[in-house]
Amino acid sequence: MKRKVTKAIFPVAGLGTRFLPATKSIPKEIMTLVDRPLIQYAIDEARAAGIKEFIFVTSRGKSALEDYFDHANELEAHLRRNGREDLLAILKTTNMDSGAIAYIRQHKALGLGHAVWCARRLVGNEPFAVLLPDDVIAGDKPCLQQMVEVYAETGGNVVAAMEVPHSKTSAYGILDVKEDLGALVSVRGMVEKPAVDAAPSNLAVIGRYILTPAIMRNLDRIKAGSGGEIQLTDAIAEEIVRSDNVYGFRFRGQRFDCGSKAGFLQATVAFALARPDLRDEFSQFLAEMTAVRRAAE
Ligand code: G1P
């Protein structure tokens, strides 16, 4: 019997240097798409997939994240006095059951693999999910939920995958495909940020993973890889050699790279257009802006 995946790790220790000066005093995960912080999207996705325990791997300067998931008693009392049940309902989505959320500090920025490894004692001998909040995925069925369903069939390790332009392969973990079954691919190898001419394919790993506890044991041992950092990709690649149980999964949905300014702006536009209360006014504005730009050219 495959164990249910109920624990998820959210690596949120990064410095967010690409968004300076904004990230000088706020964690990048608190930056908002329309009116919800990036981290809220990841949490909602995890909840939809049946995750019950949320493990944040943080670093210095991330306390705003802890406050975000806390009850805001004064604010809530104020809203209650004013009969703002609508806003109270929105705030409820930010609250966590007591004991459902844990914060672990990554004391040194040694890479994504190291960040995940920091949570090993909380994960124990269970399968677990990893969600990178920079990757925001819009879709009818949340990406991690799709993956949990696939995992119920395959077991092993399942990583989200998506075709990217060949010229961009050096920015991702790239899969070496053994057998392409459509949505699911079995994997012969995985390389972190290969040189473009050395990339085994253009199928890239996107920031959603369902992993076996063996990955933590691999992380105990592996040495620094690409960029001098301990890479999660390398720990998963080791499992291919050992157990041959690693799958790429082409999820259904649109992924936004909110770790980049262009991606963040694209996500902002897409989510604003998806909102019934903003759609009309905002699309009219976009049409006007596009017309102005065309006229200027
Ligand atoms: C991380 C992973 C990489 C993956 C990417 C997806 O890289 O190391 O394998 O393809 O996320 O967004 P980062 O973007 O943190 O450099």
Side-chain angles (χ1 to χ4, degrees):
M1 248 286 278
K2 282 178 280 293
R3 281 189 76 153
K4 269 190 91 167
V5 185
T6 60
K7 296 182 178 177
I9 300 174
F10 300 82
V12 290
L15 292 173
T17 46
R18 276 194 271 183
F19 285 94
L20 281 169
T23 45
K24 185 180 168 203
S25 65
I26 52 160
K28 70 172 169 179
E29 297 80 15
I30 291 287
M31 297 200 332
T32 55
L33 294 175
V34 188
D35 50 14
R36 298 190 323 145
L38 282 185
I39 193 67
Q40 183 76 51
Y41 290 87
I43 290 290
D44 289 350
E45 186 180 327
R47 277 189 176 134
I51 298 299
K52 303 280 182 248
E53 286 182 56
F54 303 80
I55 304 164
F56 287 74
V57 182
T58 69
S59 60
R60 182 176 292 273
K62 298 280 181 167
S63 49
L65 272 171
E66 300 191 29
D67 291 343
Y68 179 79
F69 290 111
D70 207 352
H71 282 268
N73 294 331
E74 252 177 67
L75 175 61
E76 285 168 30
H78 173 81
L79 295 174
R80 208 163 290 121
R81 275 197 304 276
N82 289 293
R84 295 304 306 266
E85 298 303 324
D86 53 337
L87 296 180
L88 281 167
I90 291 174
L91 277 189
K92 228 178 161 124
T93 64
T94 67
N95 294 147
M96 293 280 186
D97 295 341
S98 296
I101 188 161
Y103 301 91
I104 287 273
R105 278 228 180 165
Q106 184 188 26
H107 297 114
K108 285 187 188 162
L110 297 178
L112 176 61
H114 179 262
V116 168
W117 180 77
C118 288
R120 65 199 178 283
R121 295 206 174 84
L122 291 172
V123 162
N125 198 28
E126 285 185 39
F128 59 98
V130 178
L131 295 94
L132 310 187
D134 274 0
D135 282 329
V136 175
I137 304 174
D140 290 340
K141 187 181 277 188
C143 179
L144 194 68
Q145 193 181 343
Q146 296 175 36
M147 291 173 70
V148 162
E149 287 170 12
V150 165
Y151 168 82
E153 302 288 324
T154 60
N157 300 277
V158 183
V159 303
M162 178 183 116
E163 260 81 23
V164 297
H166 263 290
S167 59
K168 299 268 173 70
T169 45
S170 59
Y172 295 93
I174 299 292
L175 300 179
D176 187 354
V177 176
K178 183 163 79 177
E179 200 181 354
D180 197 332
L181 308 164
L184 202 64
V185 301
S186 70
V187 171
R188 177 190 300 131
M190 253 173 110
V191 241
E192 180 67 13
K193 303 197 172 76
V196 168
D197 52 11
S201 76
N202 69 332
L203 194 57
V205 177
I206 300 302
R208 301 289 184 276
Y209 308 77
I210 294 179
L211 301 174
T212 54
I215 299 297
M216 290 294 190
R217 293 194 286 277
N218 296 350
L219 284 168
D220 282 339
R221 285 188 316 271
I222 63 164
K223 304 254 174 332
S226 164
E229 298 188 333
I230 310 276
Q231 296 294 349
L232 184 58
T233 300
D234 295 344
I236 302 171
E238 220 179 276
E239 224 26 46
I240 303 170
V241 180
R242 197 184 307 273
S243 316
D244 190 23
N245 64 356
V246 178
Y247 305 91
F249 172 64
R250 291 189 183 93
F251 54 94
R252 296 175 304 283
Q254 189 172 5
R255 174 255 183 177
F256 297 96
D257 174 12
C258 291
S260 80
K261 285 173 200 161
F264 197 93
L265 289 169
Q266 287 157 17
T268 301
V269 171
F271 282 96
L273 289 175
R275 284 270 296 257
D277 56 333
L278 295 170
R279 186 180 295 144
D280 293 348
E281 192 181 337
F282 193 55
S283 57
Q284 195 188 334
F285 169 76
L286 286 181
E288 282 164 18
M289 288 294 282
T290 321
V292 168
R293 198 181 145 172
R294 264 203 216 106
E297 276 169 3

